[in-house]
Amino acid sequence: MIAVTPSAAERIRLAERLDGVAPLLLVADLDELRRLIAVPSGPAPTPSARPPSADDDALLIDSARSTARSRGREIGLTRLEHDLLACLTTEPIRVWSYAELHRSVWRDEGRERRADVQSLVKRLRRKLHELGTGVAIDAVRGVGFRLTDHQQPKVSGSG
């Protein structure tokens, strides 16, 4: 079964409702689906043969492997770090409230534990810094957090 929805919350809801019913592929948009199911037309280029491109600066999230990649470097993510980053990348620049982030990451209804969110953001910021990406998680005082792109690379999810 394949489900396409730009909402991280909706993808989480679908995954919970359809758990165990059938194999499930959840994607944010049709472009992501096309990338996942595309058949390569020829031999894959070797990394050394591929010229650098603007996409090398993109922050790519590999949900299957729970990693983030940028500029040829890769970091491992915990499930919570992955879910937070995936949530923030669904709508970059949008300010996400503590309650929305807690619901999306911990899947807790009616809870708003700021300390949990702040601790997770701190760990994820450190990893993004190690990765060398221009993408950062900025605090919006009294509201929550948003993903911003200080060097203007593209932010995209790969699955």
Side-chain angles (χ1 to χ4, degrees):
M1 182 177 298
I2 299 172
V4 179
T5 178
S7 165
E10 183 67 13
R11 288 192 301 273
I12 290 168
R13 189 182 72 72
L14 285 170
E16 289 170 348
R17 291 187 120 190
L18 299 174
D19 185 38
V21 172
L24 181 62
L25 174 62
L26 298 169
V27 294
D29 55 42
L30 291 176
D31 290 332
E32 182 179 2
L33 178 60
R34 286 183 191 106
R35 283 192 309 272
L36 289 171
I37 63 174
V39 177
S41 59
T46 60
S48 60
R50 188 175 60 91
S53 70
D55 287 340
D56 289 339
D57 286 343
L59 174 63
L60 299 171
I61 303 167
D62 185 338
S63 294
R65 295 179 50 231
S66 198
T67 61
R69 179 188 341 257
S70 179
R71 298 179 179 176
R73 298 182 69 197
E74 183 176 274
I75 56 168
L77 301 170
T78 66
R79 183 196 64 80
L80 294 176
E81 291 165 346
H82 170 272
D83 290 355
L84 175 63
L85 189 56
C87 178
L88 292 171
T89 59
T90 59
E91 294 180 60
I93 310 300
R94 173 186 167 197
V95 178
W96 293 81
S97 73
Y98 286 94
E100 290 171 321
L101 291 171
H102 209 281
R103 242 187 334 272
S104 293
V105 175
W106 283 270
R107 298 170 183 94
D108 290 348
E109 290 294 328
R111 296 186 100 176
E112 184 181 330
R113 299 180 56 178
R114 289 179 180 235
D116 292 344
V117 176
Q118 289 167 338
S119 176
L120 183 58
V121 165
K122 182 178 178 179
R123 291 193 316 266
L124 190 53
R125 280 176 172 159
R126 190 176 311 126
K127 287 190 175 186
L128 290 173
H129 178 73
E130 288 172 20
L131 194 56
T133 180
V135 175
I137 301 171
D138 289 342
V140 177
R141 188 178 183 104
V143 181
F145 296 93
R146 71 173 159 218
L147 195 66
T148 56
D149 184 351
H150 293 290
Q151 295 177 4
Q152 302 304 318
K154 294 179 181 148
V155 176
S156 63
S158 68

